[in-house]
Amino acid sequence: MRVLIGSMVTLAFLAGDPFAQELTTPSRKAGDSWPQFRGNPQLTGVASSTLPSALKVMWTFDVGDVIESSAAIADGTVFVGSAGGELVALDLQSGAVRWRYRTGEIGESSPAVGNGVVYIGDLSGVLHAVDVQSGKARWTFKTGGEIRSSPVIVGLRVLIGSYDRFLYGLSVERGTVDWKVESEGYIHATPAVVDGIAYISGCDERFRGVRVSDGKEVLNIPVGAYMGASAAVAGGAAYVGTFENEVIGVDMKSRKLLWEYRHPERLFPYYSSAAVSQGTVVLGGRDKMIHALDAKTGKARWTFMTNARVESSPAIVGTRVFVGSSDGRLYALDLLKGGKLWEFDAGAAITASPAVADGRVVVGSHDGRLYCFG
């Protein structure tokens, strides 16, 4: 893979304005919520909740069709989408149904919750804004292509990517277009938002930064590789796997490649989005492995082999990493050494990513079952 970062890059480092930085926050303490894909707008996959040392199944719920959507958890409610065309709200403690809302078929798009509304996209290209209490539609917005990206709420806007090649900034209240930015390929990934800039890894082999306040592109880096995964941004760097069998780290300020990682023997694409904590980048690969890399150098710290490809994105809770595999298991690994601490056999592929809040881990599987562990 060739990463060309130089004269072709356009960049404006502008301080995030108050409008863009006014991130929606849940009413409960941070540890009680996992309000969007990867848990936070930076997409780092890090939970502030604590978990019991030994986990057990607290409840399960059958949504009736494949679950690829990763759950969101806010104010004691779990929200999850299914391929059967439903957004379901469940009580976190009991698994009891609060409401069910009809959508089109939902793929990987995962709910985002803020200010009493839950947002989710479907494969018919519609973004739905649903009242969290009643389960009734507030509004819908139709894009020109399927939505696999997950929404991110930033102040008075909700951001969503579509296979029509646009990243949209929509009014959270009305669903009207404040701005839209066109790329040269599908927008599959979810934007990571830091200091008022939305960073998006692209199917057009570019890594972009878009100012949330007005939709102006302020960063455009040609990476030379297709990226289906979403980038995690932490400590001034972005981390993302590519379909050229690499993981890359990019310094956001200097516009330079920090490092690129390739496994010395097993060269497979990365579809899992990275989690970043304690100087470690963790992600799954289609090589059936979970990889942990040094965030500064990109050197491998450890790898863990599963029995099938890993497209689930890890969640980090303290020094434990939770991640699913298409072998049907949810694994808990030691962040520092990579040793297996626990596993649960769901009996069907897990490509959704774990959500962690209020002492619970929630994840769905391809047989339509949603599991809650605590």
Side-chain angles (χ1 to χ4, degrees), residues 57-332:
V57 176
M58 306 302 292
W59 52 261
T60 64
F61 181 81
D62 189 351
V63 302
D65 211 327
V66 174
I67 301 173
E68 294 182 283
S69 173
S70 303
I73 305 171
D75 293 323
T77 303
V78 178
F79 303 91
V80 70
S82 78
E86 277 193 322
L87 173 64
V88 183
L90 305 167
D91 182 88
L92 176 61
Q93 297 304 316
S94 67
V97 177
R98 293 189 168 173
W99 48 257
R100 306 176 83 141
Y101 170 85
R102 293 300 306 175
T103 65
E105 179 183 352
I106 296 173
E108 296 101 317
S109 185
S110 302
V113 188
N115 292 332
V117 181
V118 54
Y119 305 86
I120 194 167
D122 67 29
L123 298 183
S124 68
V126 176
L127 180 68
H128 301 262
V130 182
D131 186 277
V132 297
Q133 296 299 324
S134 68
K136 305 295 184 183
R138 292 272 189 96
W139 52 259
T140 60
F141 176 79
K142 183 75 166 70
T143 73
E146 61 187 46
I147 295 176
R148 294 181 180 270
S149 175
S150 299
V152 179
I153 304 166
V154 192
L156 300 179
R157 292 195 177 94
V158 56
L159 311 183
I160 191 67
S162 170
Y163 271 39
D164 67 5
R165 301 186 175 189
F166 284 97
L167 175 68
Y168 293 88
L170 304 176
S171 163
V172 295
E173 289 294 329
R174 301 177 302 278
T176 51
V177 178
D178 289 335
W179 51 257
K180 61 180 183 178
V181 176
E182 188 172 11
S183 70
E184 298 170 23
Y186 299 145
I187 297 186
H188 181 99
T190 298
V193 180
V194 180
D195 293 336
I197 307 297
Y199 297 99
I200 188 85
S201 48
C203 297
D204 60 356
E205 304 185 355
R206 290 176 176 271
F207 184 71
R208 284 181 166 82
V210 176
R211 197 163 56 201
V212 176
S213 62
D214 57 10
K216 182 179 179 181
E217 185 178 277
V218 297
L219 174 70
N220 189 324
I221 298 177
V223 170
Y226 175 101
M227 293 168 286
S230 304
V233 180
Y239 306 96
V240 64
T242 80
F243 272 66
E244 289 294 324
N245 314 325
E246 293 180 315
V247 185
I248 61 171
V250 178
D251 185 284
M252 310 290 278
K253 188 171 291 187
S254 69
R255 299 172 283 170
K256 292 181 179 178
L257 181 69
L258 285 173
W259 47 258
E260 54 187 351
Y261 163 82
R262 280 179 177 253
H263 190 273
E265 298 174 356
R266 299 176 61 82
L267 299 179
F268 288 81
Y270 293 89
Y271 195 70
S272 166
S273 298
V276 186
S277 181
Q278 301 172 52
T280 305
V281 178
V282 185
L283 76 170
R286 288 186 169 174
D287 58 2
K288 306 181 182 180
M289 301 173 75
I290 299 156
H291 301 254
L293 314 175
D294 185 282
K296 291 185 178 180
T297 66
K299 302 294 184 183
R301 289 188 167 175
W302 52 260
T303 58
F304 178 86
M305 178 67 75
T306 75
N307 297 308
R309 61 173 55 180
V310 181
E311 297 190 349
S312 172
S313 301
I316 298 176
V317 188
T319 57
R320 284 183 284 179
V321 178
F322 292 87
V323 62
S325 170
S326 293
D327 67 10
R329 292 173 172 84
L330 178 67
Y331 293 93

